[in-house]
Structures are given as structure tokens and as C-alpha cells.
Amino acid sequence: MRFEFDNAFVRELPGDPEDGPRLRQVEGALWSRVEPTPGAAPRVVAWSAEMAATLGLAEDDLRSERFAWIFGGNALLDGMQPWASNYGGHQFGVWAGQLGDGRAISLGEALDARGQRWELQLKGAGPTAYSRGADGRAVLRSSIREFLCSEAMHHLGIPTTRALGLLETGEAVVRDMFYDGHPREEPGAIVCRVAPSFIRFGNFELPYARNDVALLRQLADFTIRRDFPHLRGQGENLYADWFGEICERTAQLVAQWMRAGFVHGVMNTDNMSILGLTIDYGPYGWIDDYDPDWTPNTTDATRRRYRFGQQPNVAWWNLARLASALSPLFADTAPLQAGLDRYATAWHAADRANVAAKLGLELARDDDLALRDALHGWMREAGADMTLAWRALIDFDPDAPSPDLLAGACYDEHRCVSAGPLLRDWLARYAARLREDPLSAERRRNRMRLANPKYVLRNYLAQEAIDRAGQGDYTQVHELLEVMRRPCDEQPGCERFARKRPDWARHRAGCSMLSCSS
Ligand code: AMP
Ligand code: MG
């Protein structure tokens, strides 16, 4: 096990003069040195074969005690320089001040054989200067969710931070899962997360809020140099191109979430990646019965700020916060406004591409957006499963339009029957539309197959894996990891991972209700 480290973040940016986890406000610095807290008996329970291969790790490495020892926070490899990064953020629409990596410790920036940079970060390895009174630990249930979902997202083609491995720490962590005065002990775990950069919108917001323009500029210059090396130009023009690209990437990210039915759950600005990656898997969820107002996050249940259908607007709002934070780098606001406009343009283009791909059209016309919306309208009326309904549509035959094809996606027979006329209408429209489209049936179906996955990490599937892991049985974690590697393939024999949510999971904690307690 050998890595080549190039720790640019701590080398090139100012750090906190104080080391260690004492809680403090850190001004004039972008990171604090802190060592992971050694774990009692770290044990690797799962890893991503793709991520391991990218990092040049062999199976023997992953199975070795040394790997568990290092990624469990007990020792450092040569070249590792652990740090926690300092950032702020808007949480639920309100400026929250300094937040920082309260339970994430970066070990170093590894360069892979192709020269690609991968920051290795332990989530749940103990307190830092930014733990704000919490323990810096993570529980097994949320670690399994983050581990599985980040890899599942990657295989769905959705930009995301990655996960190298999942470890049990061998220590208990106390959590009050629903903040209702019932704390209990849960197994502790660590996810080794991996990304080219973990820089967030909130990293820029904090120096801005403190009026530290020199630090803000230093961070912006660094981020462009390290994470956006393809951008050329100078001064304000360069900053403008950079902000525009962030806006565009964010638009593409959210469009992908909307395509696949993913709800992030906590789109605070500290959870927004500068590279447009999905980051910080907490109370996220997947849409079962189509409902744009749904959020899995019980902490947000009354206002539903981060509900499914709201995500494109929230992303824009978050970008506007980033624009404010970057405003000291500009003489006037026009280039920032132009960046935000680029978000809108990119969003509409990506949404239109989704429509074409999901409906299997060569190109989407204006009226196709309404056609897609009408199908969602039926799903909502009928209470139909989003993933199953879209997937079933692949087999649609415009010469023999049968509503039975989609009826299997419904959760409630009564609602399905009463929404029947809507569906028949819609299928007739779709059949007519397909006749005007040049794609052959085969090409249409291939196109749809890639845009409408069969397998997504349904909330209840992850919860089943968690329940079993709590008994020491990791079978379903491994099965899900495997099946989510090819989410758009049929994978005969794996159908049980493509079924609609069972009744027992409808209102169960972990399946439809998740809190930020993790
Ligand atoms: P999140 O909502 O998970 O993105 O977390 C918001 C902030 O709380 C971040 O600064 C986290 O590092 C911090 N945080 C969350 N859970 C813990 C914990 N158990 N220990 C320390 N800090 C935490
Ligand atoms: Mg976070």
C-alpha cells in the first residue's frame, strides 16, 4: 500500500497556528491540524473495488490489518498530514457562522497513476476544532448510507464524492436519533471518503462574512489553480469564468438528481461542493411514489425547504449566496449575475436533455416538457412509483398502448383506477409523439434504459442492510454494493432489489423518516 501524496491545500493555504481538537473560532486560516482519534478495534467491513483500483490498492491491502489500522485512525502513512477544513454556511436559509469539518479529517491528497488527485478523508474519526460540542463520531447506520449511496450515485452517472471503504470502529456512539429525549448506544463507524476536492460554497462564505478579502482571494486563486486548471485568463475575467462554471456544474448536478429521483435532504451551503459533486450524505432519500413535495428529512418536515421539487430553486439560492461571498473579487455584480443566468440556461438545457432521454426521443421539443410533466402528474394522482413507472415505459408499444404496463407501479389500487383515464390519455399522446420521432424502437429503448435506472438505493433497501449489519451480517451491504454497480442493466436474479417499497417501510424510521442525527 503506497500513495503519492501532494498535499496542496495545507501546503499552499494558511493554517491555524494551534493544533488539536480544542474548540475554537479560527480566523485568518483555512484549516487546522488535528490527528484522528485512535479507534479501539477498527475493522473494514466493505470497500469499493473501483475506488480501490483507481488508488492502486490490491485486495490484499484492503484485507490487511494495516489498512484497518490506518483508515481506522490509528496511524498515519508517510506523507499524510491530517487536517480539518474551516468553513461556514447558510443552514436552512440562515447564516450559521463558522462550521468546519466537525467530524471529517482529511489525511492527504493522493495522486493516482494517471495523476488524478484524490483527497482521502475519514468521516467519523473523532473531534476537531470544529466539532462544536459534538463527538466527531459517526454511527454505523449513517455510514452505511453514505458508503452505499456515494458509490450507487457514481454508477448512475451522477457527480459525487466517492467512498473507498467502510469501517466499524468497535466503539459505541450515543445518539438521540429523533431528538426526542431517547438517546441510545449505537455502533460507531468510519467512511473513508474520496474526492478531487472537498471545497464547499461555505469555505468562501466564511472569510467573506469576516471581511477577510485577502484570505478569500487566496482561497479562490488556489481553488482555480488546483481544481479548475483548464480555466485560463486573468483577474476578474478568470473569476467570472470560474463562477460561471460552478453554476453550470451545479445545474447539471441537480438535473441528474431530478432525473433519478434523489432528494439530498440538507442542501445547506456548507453541503454544496465547488465541483458540483453530491456531498454530505445525511438524511437523503429516493422518491418512491412520485411526490415533488416529499422530503425524507424529519428536521425539515414542517417547512420542507429541501423537498424534491424545490431542489433546482434551492441550488440557485445557494449559488446566489456564493455570488455574494465572491463579490469582493469583482468591481461590479454583472459577471456574477451572468453566472447565475448561466445556471438557469444550463438547468433548462439539462432538464430538456433529461426529457429526451427519459422519454426516448431524439430531441425534446418545447411541448415534450409538458408531456413529461403530465406523466409526473399521473404518477402523483395515481400514487405511482417513479422508478418503476419510468422503467416500465421502456416496453411501451405505440401500436398497442396498454395502461397495464404502468399499473404495476401503483401503490394504491383505488387511486390507480381513478387516475386511469389520465393515463390512457397520456399514453395516446405519447404514442402520437413517438410516431413523429425518427428514433427506431430499438434505439429509443436503449436510450431510455440508460436514463431510467432499474435499481436505485431505495430507502428501505438501505435500511434492511443496516438492520442486518447491526446483527453483524453485512450480506445485504455487499449485495447492494454489487447490484448498484450496474443500475441500468436488467441483472436477472436481482429483481428483489427493484421492487416497490413494501408497506412496512412506509412510515418506518430510516425508510421514510430520517433526521440529521448521524
Ligand atoms: P451536516 O449537517 O452533517 O452537514 O453537519 C453540519 C455541521 O455539523 C458540520 O460542520 C459537521 O462537521 C458538524 N457535525 C455534524 N455531526 C457532528 C458530530 N457528530 N461531531 C462533530 N461535528 C458534527
Ligand atoms: Mg455537512
Side-chain angles (χ1 to χ4, degrees):
M1 177 167 48
R2 289 216 8 235
F3 295 99
E4 184 189 342
F5 287 108
D6 176 52
N7 303 326
F9 194 83
V10 295
R11 185 178 63 235
E12 295 179 26
L13 294 171
D16 178 5
E18 182 177 334
D19 287 359
R22 187 187 70 83
L23 299 184
R24 55 198 183 265
Q25 289 293 307
V26 177
E27 305 209 5
L30 294 163
W31 53 274
S32 301
R33 190 181 156 87
V34 64
E35 305 244 335
T37 304
R43 187 170 77 90
V44 179
V45 290
W47 64 78
S48 155
E50 290 83 5
M51 205 56 242
T54 301
L55 291 167
L57 295 169
E59 191 166 332
D60 284 351
D61 294 324
L62 295 151
R63 292 188 186 281
S64 69
E65 253 174 61
R66 187 148 163 268
F67 183 89
W69 204 240
I70 289 157
F71 289 91
N74 287 309
L76 297 172
L77 288 171
D78 278 352
M80 286 180 171
Q81 288 174 287
W83 76 91
S85 133
N86 187 12
Y87 54 82
H90 280 82
Q91 298 188 313
F92 298 95
V94 181
W95 173 244
Q98 176 182 301
L99 297 166
D101 285 332
R103 54 163 166 180
I105 298 179
S106 291
L107 300 174
E109 301 169 32
L111 299 180
D112 71 17
R114 292 159 56 203
Q116 162 77 52
R117 183 178 304 271
W118 297 102
E119 186 170 326
L120 307 178
Q121 184 178 81
L122 303 184
K123 183 166 175 181
T128 74
Y130 309 102
S131 295
R132 297 181 297 140
D135 57 8
R137 293 291 183 187
V139 292
L140 182 62
R141 62 182 152 84
S142 60
S143 305
I144 289 176
R145 285 168 48 81
E146 172 141 18
F147 174 74
L148 286 178
C149 200
S150 40
E151 290 305 284
M153 295 285 269
H154 167 72
H155 294 297
L156 279 164
I158 304 179
T160 178
T161 62
R162 304 288 301 278
L164 171 61
L166 170 67
L167 294 94
E168 277 186 354
T169 59
E171 283 167 54
V173 173
V174 177
R175 286 289 181 274
D176 185 356
M177 184 151 67
F178 286 107
Y179 305 115
D180 61 357
H182 295 94
R184 62 180 189 95
E185 282 200 342
E186 299 187 48
I190 291 176
V191 176
C192 176
R193 307 201 286 195
V194 186
S197 168
F198 283 97
I199 295 176
R200 303 143 189 272
F201 292 8
N203 288 81
F204 301 90
E205 289 181 279
L206 187 59
Y208 168 70
R210 288 170 169 169
N211 235 328
D212 192 344
V213 178
L215 193 65
L216 172 71
R217 188 180 295 279
Q218 226 181 331
L219 179 62
D221 292 344
F222 171 83
T223 306
I224 294 170
R225 206 162 55 237
R226 190 192 67 171
D227 298 336
F228 295 78
H230 51 281
L231 292 180
R232 301 275 171 243
Q234 295 212 313
E236 254 193 56
N237 287 337
L238 177 58
Y239 293 137
D241 287 350
W242 172 53
F243 180 65
E245 185 171 330
I246 298 165
C247 290
E248 193 161 327
R249 286 182 184 227
T250 305
Q252 276 151 3
L253 172 71
V254 177
Q256 293 292 327
W257 290 353
M258 302 310 288
R259 166 178 73 83
F262 176 80
V263 192
H264 182 285
V266 204
M267 287 176 74
N268 293 332
T269 55
D270 53 306
N271 292 338
M272 296 292 292
S273 143
I274 210 74
L275 286 179
L277 308 173
T278 313
I279 190 171
D280 279 15
Y281 291 86
Y284 70 81
W286 294 84
I287 294 286
D288 292 314
D289 48 318
Y290 183 82
D291 177 3
D293 292 333
W294 184 71
T295 174
N297 185 357
T298 53
T299 316
D300 189 28
T302 41
R303 283 175 61 207
R304 295 179 183 266
R305 179 182 177 86
Y306 298 139
R307 61 191 182 271
F308 179 56
Q310 194 63 9
Q311 296 184 121
N313 291 331
V314 171
W316 187 90
W317 190 89
N318 289 343
L319 285 163
R321 301 289 72 69
L322 179 62
S324 298
L326 300 180
S327 61
L329 307 178
F330 293 86
D332 76 88
T333 55
L336 291 164
Q337 188 54 53
L340 292 172
D341 293 346
R342 200 165 147 189
Y343 172 81
T345 311
W347 157 257
H348 288 299
D351 186 45
R352 192 179 276 253
N354 279 347
V355 168
K358 286 182 80 73
L359 288 172
L361 305 169
E362 181 170 57
L363 276 177
R365 311 184 308 217
D366 284 349
D367 55 339
D368 294 328
L369 273 68
L371 186 65
R372 182 266 318 265
D373 294 345
L375 180 61
H376 281 161
W378 166 75
M379 288 183 200
R380 193 174 193 180
E381 278 298 305
D385 187 274
M386 179 179 173
T387 305
L388 285 177
W390 277 109
R391 188 78 184 176
L393 201 61
I394 297 172
D395 293 324
F396 178 71
D397 177 356
D399 297 323
S402 155
D404 297 344
L405 195 64
L406 274 73
C410 292
Y411 282 93
D412 179 317
E413 206 179 321
H414 184 70
R415 282 173 68 190
C416 195
V417 170
S418 58
L422 264 182
L423 180 59
R424 274 188 291 280
D425 243 32
W426 189 86
L427 291 172
R429 273 171 78 186
Y430 183 47
R433 176 64 183 90
L434 288 183
R435 279 185 213 108
E436 291 165 18
D437 192 83
L439 285 188
S440 69
E442 193 195 339
R443 289 191 53 206
R444 176 180 88 237
R445 290 190 172 132
N446 286 339
R447 180 138 221 233
M448 292 175 81
R449 227 167 261 130
L450 296 176
N452 300 309
K454 176 163 176 171
Y455 299 98
V456 296
L457 188 67
R458 290 175 182 274
N459 314 308
Y460 86 89
L461 290 173
Q463 186 56 40
E464 282 178 346
I466 289 165
D467 290 342
R468 290 174 68 177
Q471 315 291 314
D473 172 7
Y474 278 89
T475 318
Q476 187 152 331
V477 170
H478 296 127
E479 287 170 343
L480 286 174
L481 186 63
E482 183 58 30
V483 77
M484 298 303 157
R485 292 172 75 195
R486 291 181 291 126
C488 298
D489 288 1
E490 282 300 315
Q491 302 192 59
C494 294
E495 285 77 13
R496 77 179 190 88
F497 298 117
R499 282 209 286 263
K500 63 185 159 198
R501 176 198 60 218
D503 257 355
W504 61 260
R506 200 153 167 203
H507 298 297
R508 226 202 101 179
C511 299
S512 58
M513 302 186 299
L514 292 139
S515 74
C516 288
S517 165
S518 58

